[in-house]
């Protein structure tokens, strides 16, 4: 009798657990994914080595650009430019741009600004006080771009955007003087038990804010490059010259973009080749945003690298090509840069070992050199160094 009374009570409980599981399963999965996304966004800075590569690439590219134009600086940006500071200020009223170069018409002021711009680019490449120097680098790029906006070749526009985006990233965490100083301070740091809780919480909030800004900045950089390639490919699809494969033939015959006329004529003579290259260019640019989450992105990046090198050589647009090549580096994972760093260290180590060899014609040693033992001794040191670098 007791058994028959308990059975109806047990059966609904089991059915309730089943329905509860069926109703909670999807929300629980969604909550777990949201939690994982928030952890990734707030606790783990992504692509630190890629951000460092962008910092070094853009800083070095703009430093070389300013050094290259140093003899022509007055004609391009100075008081002696045909586009005078007064004309630039009139255009600023319409476009909304601003430039520190137009704050004074003095030649001395311009020379000081140019020297400070060179120093800022060099410090940005080295990663010294990157958080502040990155903001100064963005001001430098925007000021020079706005001062001579009609002299841009397309690369300046991308440089302006990337310099602003990099100011929000932690691009000085790797391959920088800041990273070296942080490692030295961490090794010499002693624990202080009397540190207050408020300071600890403020430090945690600062780290979280820095991580969020860095991750959002890297996402915006990747999205910007995807939009750039996608829009460029879709615009090409709409053009009849790209559709019939003759667009590159006309590009190679524009006198304004022919730094090497003989080379351009040689390439333009291969009609089938330039038609195939034109179709491949459109295909790669349109497909670029859709291949980023698979292994197919690596051959696509190689094709884009070749395309930009050809643009720099055949069309005379090195700044634009360099800016695009550096932007593509944002899509390489950190393991690629770690492997590249290990390869460079191994190459330098071998090159240093070759310099220690005995000179030619010296007396042979009585005992053969123990090459294998030296490798065994040096291996733990190199592995420890790599592990420290990866952390």
């Amino acid at each position: 009798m007791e058994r028959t009374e308990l059975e109806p009570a047990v059966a609904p409980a089991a059915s309730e657990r089943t329905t509860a599981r069926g109703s909670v399963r999807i929300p629980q999965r969604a909550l777990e994914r949201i939690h994982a996304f928030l952890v990734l966004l707030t606790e783990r800075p992504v692509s630190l080595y890629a951000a460092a590569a962008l910092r070094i690439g853009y800083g070095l590219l703009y430093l070389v650009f300013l050094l290259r134009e140093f003899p022509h600086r007055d004609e391009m940006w100075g008081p002696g430019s045909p586009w005078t500071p007064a004309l630039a200020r009139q255009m600023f009223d319409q476009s909304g741009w601003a430039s520190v170069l137009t704050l004074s018409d003095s030649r001395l002021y311009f020379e000081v600004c140019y020297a400070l711009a060179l120093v800022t680019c060099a410090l940005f490449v080295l990663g010294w006080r990157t958080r502040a120097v990155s903001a100064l680098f963005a001001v430098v790029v925007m000021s020079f771009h706005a001062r001579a906006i009609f002299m841009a070749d397309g690369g300046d526009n991308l440089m302006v955007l990337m310099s602003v985006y990099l100011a929000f990233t932690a691009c000085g965490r790797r391959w920088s003087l800041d990273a070296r100083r942080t490692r030295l301070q961490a090794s010499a740091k002693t624990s202080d038990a009397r540190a207050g809780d408020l300071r600890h919480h403020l430090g945690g909030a600062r780290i979280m804010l820095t991580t969020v800004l860095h991750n959002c900045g890297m996402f915006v950089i990747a999205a910007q490059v995807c939009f750039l390639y996608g829009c460029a490919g879709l615009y090409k699809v709409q053009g009849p010259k790209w559709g019939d494969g003759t667009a590159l033939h006309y590009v190679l015959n524009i006198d304004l973009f022919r730094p090497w006329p003989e080379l351009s004529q040689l390439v333009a003579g291969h009609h089938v080749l330039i038609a195939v290259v034109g179709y491949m260019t459109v295909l790669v640019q349109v497909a670029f945003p859709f291949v980023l989450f698979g292994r197919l992105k690596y051959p696509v990046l190689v094709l884009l690298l070749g395309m930009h090198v050809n643009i720099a050589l055949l069309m005379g647009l090195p700044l634009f090509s360099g800016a695009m090549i550096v932007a593509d580096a944002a899509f390489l994972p950190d393991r690629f840069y770690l492997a590249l760093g290990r390869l460079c260290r191994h190459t330098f180590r071998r090159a240093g070992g070759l310099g220690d060899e005995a000179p030619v014609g010296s007396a042979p040693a009585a005992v053969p050199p123990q090459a294998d033992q030296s490798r065994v001794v040096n291996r733990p040191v190199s592995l420890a160094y790599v592990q420290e670098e990866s952390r």
Side-chain angles (χ1 to χ4, degrees), residues 53-124:
L54 292 176
R55 184 198 83 240
I56 296 173
Y58 284 119
L60 186 61
L61 185 64
Y62 213 75
L63 177 62
V64 172
F65 171 67
L66 292 180
L67 292 175
R68 168 63 180 82
E69 302 298 339
F70 185 80
H72 315 285
R73 62 190 184 281
D74 186 45
E75 291 82 0
M76 294 182 65
W77 302 291
S81 173
W83 186 253
T84 61
L87 292 175
R89 285 190 288 267
Q90 290 180 10
M91 187 172 182
F92 293 164
D93 296 336
Q94 301 176 3
S95 62
W97 283 91
S99 175
V100 296
L101 299 176
T102 59
L103 297 179
S104 175
D105 296 343
S106 171
R107 184 175 298 277
L108 177 62
Y109 173 79
F110 170 73
E111 296 295 342
V112 171
C113 289
Y114 205 92
L116 291 177
L118 293 175
V119 173
T120 300
C121 294
L123 293 178
F124 189 62

Side-chain angles (χ1 to χ4, degrees), residues 180-317:
R180 181 177 180 273
R181 184 178 64 253
T182 301
R183 288 195 300 269
L184 294 177
Q185 290 178 353
S187 62
K189 186 178 180 180
T190 57
S191 61
D192 187 5
R194 295 175 297 176
D197 293 338
L198 179 60
R199 183 178 179 183
H200 175 72
H201 291 310
L202 290 177
R206 177 180 176 273
I207 293 174
M208 180 181 296
L209 178 61
T210 303
T211 303
V212 172
L213 289 177
H214 169 79
N215 292 338
C216 292
M218 293 303 296
F219 172 78
V220 172
I221 289 174
Q224 179 69 58
V225 179
C226 289
F227 278 120
L228 194 151
Y229 279 124
C231 293
L234 292 177
Y235 273 116
K236 288 182 176 65
V237 169
Q238 300 175 14
K241 301 301 181 183
W242 288 96
D244 56 24
T246 61
L248 292 181
H249 173 77
Y250 292 103
V251 170
L252 293 172
N253 285 277
I254 299 176
D255 293 335
L256 186 61
F257 299 103
R258 295 178 69 184
W260 316 99
E262 294 80 6
L263 182 60
S264 298
Q265 290 179 0
L266 178 63
V267 176
H270 299 79
H271 303 290
V272 177
L273 176 62
I274 61 176
V276 172
V277 172
Y279 289 133
M280 285 296 299
T281 300
V282 176
L283 178 62
V284 169
Q285 289 183 341
V286 173
F288 181 79
F290 304 99
V291 300
L292 295 179
F293 302 100
R295 296 182 181 272
L296 192 59
K297 73 176 180 179
Y298 297 108
V300 169
L301 289 174
V302 173
L303 292 175
L304 290 173
L305 174 63
M307 180 186 73
H308 293 308
V309 171
N310 289 326
I311 291 175
L313 292 177
L314 297 177
M315 299 183 62
L317 299 174

